[in-house]
Amino acid sequence: MLAPQDLEALLLSCRLAFVTTVILLIVGTPLAWWLARSKRRVRLVVEVLLAMPLVLPPTVLGFYLLVFLGPQGPLTSLAALIGQSSFVFSFTGLVIGSVIYSAPFVIQPLVSAFRGIRSNQLEAAEVLGAGFMDR
């Protein structure tokens, strides 16, 4: 039998995983499509920023997140708008950290998959009447 604190930790982990997955699917899929199809130079900067969690050691990433989300961080005014003093050690902070850490593992495979779709396949689907979202 699980102790109450174990059950609470398990429920928190499941809730965090669910919210992170939903956010990454909603934000990551269009971003991956844009990264796969865009020819702009800013695409390279976005790809580098998305790869940072893979390159940085977890302690460094955690330190930067603490500084960024902390009471003197740049997101303090945003936290005040939703009634929090800061995002550090809150569920919102957990979600932000989890999304940042997990983004490369979702977006990079999607970019590879979208790059594998040939443009003539998309054009054929358009000719056959498929709408933008269907393609």
Side-chain angles (χ1 to χ4, degrees):
M1 187 73 183
L2 288 174
Q5 64 270 20
D6 294 338
L7 185 60
E8 184 180 346
L10 180 64
L11 291 176
L12 176 67
S13 297
C14 290
R15 189 170 138 213
L16 177 64
F18 176 76
V19 171
T20 301
T21 302
V22 168
I23 290 172
L24 283 172
L25 287 177
I26 291 172
V27 175
T29 304
L31 181 60
W33 180 262
W34 178 79
L35 288 171
R37 297 292 170 194
S38 178
K39 303 288 188 227
R40 296 181 180 175
R41 286 187 181 200
V42 73
R43 175 183 59 86
L44 296 173
V45 174
V46 173
E47 284 181 341
V48 167
L49 289 175
L50 283 172
M52 290 297 282
L54 296 174
V55 177
L56 291 174
T59 53
V60 174
L61 182 63
F63 174 75
Y64 286 143
L65 283 172
L66 280 173
V67 170
F68 190 70
L69 301 174
Q72 280 80 33
L75 290 183
T76 304
S77 58
L78 180 63
L81 286 175
I82 62 171
Q84 292 184 344
S85 59
S86 72
F87 290 128
V88 175
F89 304 117
S90 68
F91 184 74
T92 306
L94 280 174
V95 170
I96 292 170
S98 182
V99 166
I100 289 172
Y101 181 78
S102 303
F105 300 108
V106 172
I107 295 173
Q108 287 180 350
L110 285 174
V111 168
S112 296
F114 290 148
R115 285 185 179 151
I117 300 172
R118 296 189 311 251
S119 60
N120 61 355
Q121 292 172 325
L122 295 174
E123 291 168 4
E126 184 178 10
V127 167
L128 293 173
F132 177 74
M133 294 303 288
D134 292 330
R135 287 182 269 139

